Amino acid sequence: MENKNARPAEAETSANHTADTSNLATAAQRQRMLEALRSGPVSTFDARARLNILAPAPRVKELRESGFVILTKRESLPDERGIVHPGIARYVLISEPPAKAVA
């Protein structure tokens, strides 16, 4: 029997499968962003809506400072109301820092 009240499955995006988004600590936000980037590109809108990261640019900057290579693409993207905004950042993880050798 079909459940008529069931919500349709969300399209799978890199930002859909994340850990606890209620933790607002900088380190937790940085970890959520990294996990999402490992799955694919993340836009500013994705980060805000699905990762609960209102300012993703500082988290990306911190990841870059830790050795992650992250490309920023500027695109025209629609918000949740369908209004297209120019210049929205979409972040793409290019490479991770090499693992440190254990002596």
Side-chain angles (χ1 to χ4, degrees):
M1 187 159 149
E2 194 174 331
N3 182 351
K4 295 185 182 203
N5 293 326
R7 291 181 10 189
E10 271 188 49
E12 183 66 22
T13 67
S14 60
N16 280 352
H17 48 290
T18 59
D20 177 20
T21 59
S22 65
N23 188 340
L24 301 180
T26 300
Q29 289 182 31
R30 193 169 40 248
Q31 185 61 37
R32 288 196 303 272
M33 177 61 89
L34 178 56
E35 289 172 8
L37 286 167
R38 284 177 171 153
S39 297
V42 178
S43 75
T44 296
F45 289 156
D46 291 335
R48 289 178 180 166
R50 294 184 181 91
L51 301 175
N52 197 22
I53 301 173
L54 297 184
R59 304 299 78 87
V60 170
K61 179 180 183 284
E62 293 159 0
L63 289 169
R64 286 177 175 145
E65 290 171 347
S66 296
F68 293 88
V69 178
I70 301 170
L71 175 69
T72 301
K73 296 180 179 182
R74 295 290 178 171
E75 301 177 353
S76 294
L77 298 172
D79 64 17
E80 71 255 5
R81 287 169 272 154
I83 299 168
V84 176
H85 296 262
I88 300 300
R90 184 179 304 271
Y91 302 103
V92 181
L93 179 63
I94 303 299
S95 66
E96 298 194 24
K100 295 180 181 178
V102 178

